[in-house]
């Protein structure tokens, strides 16, 4: 399974109105990308879906069940790999299994089985410090996968990588998704990344974030479709990125 | 911590120590300083060799107090840091007391404690513990506080219990700081034991030195100092070894990922 619904979620953090009535759904095996300007509340939305913070209004439904404000159902990966420096790659990725009560030896065995597919078989006994950023993100994704195998929340997971490595990670992630049939909610401010990763792109406004428009991305977009979607998104975002409008948007909150 | 990587760097500390001893030896000989004012290192060493059995006996006593106190301090500091880190109001209550405990002049304690605790080993251990637990608590508390909050929220999102988070995330992350504290305390422990023996002891290097100093046997006093320096250094090295063994992920010689 892996059907995620976000229903009418609003959130004010401190005195800043961050999310304004956000509703969206991620169907099974679908990859939905949320695209928005920096600081628009994308990460707050993922934190709410993960159950780390509760929304002021609205609900999070997963396979029809209410998971609002509860952690432990979906897996969540951030820009930082957040691997434990004290554990080898194998022991790091096995953590979610151990937290669920799987005996250590068995957890390692399960992790070991998938190491090759995640491109980590040569590095299982390395400590995170010994690996490059790309390899560490692979391990982080692997750990994310071992936590919940149907719904993945990815918060700019490759933003800290160089362009070439990022490109390789996109292709690799696409390949894994088609094999494992994940439902993915992916957050980014990079239009190119959105176009590569998405079945659907939802464009958010600056704070308070609302969904401005939805774009469907065809499986293999030809150059013209690609260009036209990109152009439409840019047009949508540009007035919002204008300095005066950002100040105007904030002045009502302050 | 930075560790020597080639032979030149490995030899460096021996060169500096040998150099210092040579300057000392040379200066005493050139200026013909009388032995009861400042003996040369060679005289100190030969005096120490002469009384080696006596020295060994008193060293054993002091080392026992220092190690006993240090181990007790590590245990107390560990428990205290766990409590203070997890219970905020306790932190507010205890932290000022911790600082105050370090402001009491040790010499006065060395005089007063025997009045309260008797003339046995107890007052000595108390002084060593008092000196040694503080750097460990402070460093361990810092280490526990420095864990990345995102790391903690990741564990929270995976449904980890606070206890599991503590042992899987916080404790390993704080281990290097813990060892920094132990390293500092290890250097203090022998010195603290010696101070504790300054008054009201019948054995130990502190007692030995007060007796010899009154007899103007400066060479034998310095021989005891030499022993204290050497042992303190060894204690620190033992701590380093323990850290190397227990914190394998921080070893300086780990290989990097090879490009493929």
């Amino acid at each position: 399974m892996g059907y995620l619904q976000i229903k009418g979620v609003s959130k004010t953090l401190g005195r800043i109105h961050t999310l304004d009535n956000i509703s969206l759904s991620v169907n099974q095996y679908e990859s939905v990308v949320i695209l928005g300007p920096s600081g628009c509340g994308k990460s707050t939305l993922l934190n709410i879906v993960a159950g780390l913070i509760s929304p002021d209004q609205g609900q999070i439904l997963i396979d029809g069940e209410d998971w609002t404000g509860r952690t432990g159902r979906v897996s969540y990966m951030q820009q930082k790999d957040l691997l434990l420096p004290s554990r080898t790659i194998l022991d790091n990725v096995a953590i979610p299994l151990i937290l669920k009560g799987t005996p250590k030896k068995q957890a390692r065995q399960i992790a070991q089985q998938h190491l090759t597919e995640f491109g980590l078989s040569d590095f299982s006994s390395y400590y995170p410090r010994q690996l490059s950023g790309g390899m560490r993100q692979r391990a982080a994704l692997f750990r994310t996968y071992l936590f919940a195998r149907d719904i993945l929340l990815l918060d700019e997971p490759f933003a800290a990588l160089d362009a070439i490595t990022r490109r390789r990670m996109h292709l690799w992630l696409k390949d894994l998704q088609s094999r494992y049939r994940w439902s993915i909610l992916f957050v980014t401010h990079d239009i190119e990344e959105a176009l590569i990763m998405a079945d659907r792109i939802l464009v958010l406004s600056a704070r308070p974030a609302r969904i401005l428009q939805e774009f469907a991305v065809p499986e293999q977009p030809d150059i013209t479709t690609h260009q036209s979607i990109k152009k439409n998104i840019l047009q949508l975002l540009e007035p919002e990125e204008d300095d005066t409008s950002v100040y105007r948007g904030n002045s009502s909150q302050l | 911590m930075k560790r020597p990587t080639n032979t030149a760097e490995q030899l460096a500390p021996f060169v500096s120590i040998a150099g210092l001893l040579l300057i000392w030896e040379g200066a005493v000989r050139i200026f013909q300083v009388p032995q009861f004012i400042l003996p040369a290192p060679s005289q100190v060493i030969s005096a120490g060799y002469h009384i080696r059995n006596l020295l060994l006996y008193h060293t054993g006593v002091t080392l026992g107090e220092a190690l006993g106190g240090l181990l007790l301090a590590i245990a107390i500091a560990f428990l205290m840091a766990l409590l203070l880190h997890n219970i905020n109001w306790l932190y507010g209550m205890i932290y000022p007391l911790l600082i105050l405990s370090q402001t009491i002049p040790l010499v006065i304690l060395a005089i007063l404690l025997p009045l309260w605790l008797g003339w046995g080993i107890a007052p000595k251990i108390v002084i060593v513990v008092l000196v040694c637990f503080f750097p460990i608590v402070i460093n361990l508390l810092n280490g526990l506080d420095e864990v990345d909050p995102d790391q903690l929220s990741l564990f929270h999102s995976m449904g980890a219990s606070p206890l599991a988070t503590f042992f899987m995330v916080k404790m390993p992350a704080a281990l290097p700081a813990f060892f920094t504290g132990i390293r500092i305390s290890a250097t203090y422990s022998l010195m603290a034991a010696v101070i504790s023996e300054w008054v009201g002891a019948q054995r130990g290097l502190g007692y030995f030195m007060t007796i010899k100093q009154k007899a103007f046997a400066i060479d034998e006093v310095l021989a005891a100092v030499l022993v204290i320096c050497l042992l303190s250094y060894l204690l620190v090295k033992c701590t380093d070894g323990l850290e190397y063994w227990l914190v394998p992920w921080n070893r300086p010689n780990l290989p990097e990922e090879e490009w493929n």
Side-chain angles (χ1 to χ4, degrees):
Chain A
M1 294 293 274
Y3 175 44
L4 168 68
Q5 288 165 285
I6 301 173
K7 284 191 166 176
V9 163
S10 295
K11 180 74 187 176
T12 300
L13 287 173
R15 280 191 294 171
I16 299 167
H17 190 187
T18 312
L19 301 174
D20 184 20
N21 193 21
I22 305 263
S23 292
L24 64 95
S25 60
V26 182
N27 295 317
Q28 272 184 56
Y29 320 139
E30 193 188 22
S31 176
V32 173
V33 171
I34 296 177
L35 182 68
S38 298
C40 77
K42 303 184 295 276
S43 299
T44 309
L45 183 62
L46 284 202
N47 280 333
I48 288 174
V49 177
L52 287 171
I53 50 183
S54 295
D56 298 334
Q57 274 156 25
Q59 274 186 310
I60 305 299
L61 300 180
I62 296 161
D63 295 333
E65 195 186 335
D66 189 350
W67 278 88
T68 317
R70 287 157 67 200
T71 61
R73 172 60 181 84
V74 296
S75 34
Y76 190 7
M77 175 177 169
Q78 302 182 18
Q79 183 180 332
K80 284 190 268 185
D81 58 72
L82 296 176
L83 297 168
L84 293 179
S86 57
R87 291 178 172 237
T88 62
I89 293 302
L90 185 66
D91 285 336
N92 257 296
V93 299
I95 285 171
L97 300 172
I98 290 169
L99 287 176
K100 283 178 184 171
T102 314
K104 198 173 176 183
K105 202 176 155 195
Q106 204 184 331
R108 278 184 172 171
Q109 271 173 4
I110 295 169
Q112 193 87 52
Q113 285 164 8
H114 298 272
L115 272 177
T116 317
E117 289 160 75
F118 282 81
L120 291 163
S121 51
D122 293 338
F123 304 113
S124 65
S125 61
Y126 279 56
Y127 290 103
R129 177 163 82 79
Q130 298 171 267
L131 299 187
S132 64
M135 277 299 163
R136 286 209 296 265
Q137 284 307 81
R138 279 175 191 235
L141 185 77
F142 187 13
R143 180 191 57 198
T144 311
Y145 163 67
L146 284 179
F147 178 70
R149 301 174 175 216
D150 50 0
I151 304 177
L152 270 60
L153 310 179
L154 307 177
D155 186 0
E156 306 195 6
F158 309 134
L161 303 178
D162 64 87
I164 297 165
T165 312
R166 187 157 65 227
R167 170 88 189 141
R168 281 171 58 189
M169 298 296 279
H170 288 146
L171 299 176
W172 174 74
L173 179 60
K174 292 278 288 184
D175 179 49
L176 284 176
Q177 193 204 358
S178 63
R179 209 174 328 162
Y180 287 109
R181 317 272 277 155
W182 291 322
S183 311
I184 292 181
L185 186 57
F186 194 109
V187 156
T188 183
H189 58 245
D190 177 344
I191 298 179
E192 288 297 336
E193 182 168 59
L195 281 163
I196 296 168
M197 293 311 306
D199 297 323
R200 274 190 296 142
I201 299 176
L202 300 175
V203 181
L204 289 193
S205 67
R207 277 198 319 250
R210 286 170 291 111
I211 295 177
L212 290 176
Q213 202 174 327
E214 178 176 328
F215 295 90
V217 184
E219 186 72 30
Q220 295 286 339
D222 53 70
I223 287 283
T224 36
T225 331
H226 186 103
Q227 290 300 336
S228 82
I229 298 176
K230 191 172 168 182
K231 206 176 121 199
N232 288 336
I233 293 175
L234 280 172
Q235 270 173 357
L236 210 53
L237 286 175
E238 254 160 15
E240 297 290 335
E241 281 172 355
D242 185 76
D243 273 355
T244 51
S245 80
V246 169
Y247 283 121
R248 194 154 17 92
N250 279 348
S251 60
S252 61
Q253 319 298 329
L254 292 172
Chain B
M1 198 179 72
K2 193 179 178 306
R3 280 173 198 274
T5 46
N6 57 37
T7 19
E9 284 180 40
Q10 277 169 344
L11 285 177
F14 299 102
V15 172
S16 62
I17 290 171
L20 211 63
L21 289 176
L22 276 177
I23 292 171
W24 176 4
E25 182 84 36
V28 168
R29 283 175 193 240
I30 290 167
F31 300 112
Q32 296 181 323
V33 184
Q35 194 179 343
F36 62 88
I37 302 284
L38 180 67
S42 58
Q43 292 167 319
V44 171
I45 291 167
S46 86
Y49 183 74
H50 239 68
I51 51 161
R52 59 188 178 280
N53 287 331
L54 192 63
L55 214 48
L56 204 63
Y57 166 72
H58 290 294
T59 301
V61 172
T62 304
L63 190 61
E65 292 161 1
L67 280 181
L70 181 62
L71 290 178
L72 201 59
I74 291 172
I76 292 173
F78 188 79
L79 288 176
M80 195 173 270
L82 290 200
L83 288 175
L84 294 190
H85 178 74
N86 289 302
I87 309 173
N88 278 334
W89 59 265
L90 200 65
Y91 183 88
M93 272 174 70
I94 302 292
Y95 193 74
L97 297 182
L98 285 187
I99 305 224
L100 282 182
S101 76
Q102 298 305 298
T103 61
I104 309 166
L106 276 185
V107 185
I108 282 299
L109 272 186
I111 295 169
L112 291 180
L113 275 177
L115 295 177
W116 305 327
L117 298 171
W119 303 93
I121 198 173
K124 282 106 186 162
I125 296 277
V126 168
I127 285 181
V128 177
V129 168
L130 202 66
V131 170
C132 289
F133 89 103
F134 187 72
I136 306 177
V137 172
I138 296 297
N139 277 289
L140 189 50
L141 280 175
N142 271 344
L144 290 170
D145 280 340
E146 266 170 24
V147 177
D148 186 347
D150 286 336
Q151 186 82 69
L152 299 177
S153 70
L154 172 77
F155 268 67
H156 183 45
S157 81
M158 293 196 290
S161 69
L163 200 70
T165 308
F166 186 83
F167 282 108
M168 289 172 100
V169 186
K170 286 190 175 179
M171 205 49 232
L175 270 186
F178 184 46
F179 274 102
T180 301
I182 295 179
R183 215 178 340 265
I184 296 170
S185 294
T187 53
Y188 289 166
S189 61
L190 273 158
M191 186 199 67
V194 168
I195 291 175
S196 77
E197 292 161 349
W198 215 253
V199 183
Q202 286 95 45
R203 50 212 178 108
L205 287 175
Y207 162 79
F208 173 82
M209 283 193 287
T210 48
I211 299 294
K212 292 299 175 183
Q213 173 250 327
K214 280 171 190 155
F216 287 100
I218 305 300
D219 52 351
E220 292 181 5
V221 173
L222 289 180
V225 171
L226 213 60
V227 170
I228 293 166
C229 292
L230 212 64
L231 281 179
S232 299
Y233 189 77
L234 279 178
L235 263 182
V236 173
K237 281 286 150 195
C238 286
T239 314
D240 286 351
L242 209 60
E243 179 174 8
Y244 187 84
W245 180 50
L246 287 175
V247 191
W249 61 90
N250 264 359
R251 288 177 192 171
N253 51 3
L254 289 177
E256 302 271 312
E257 169 196 340
E258 282 157 34
W259 292 102
N260 48 359

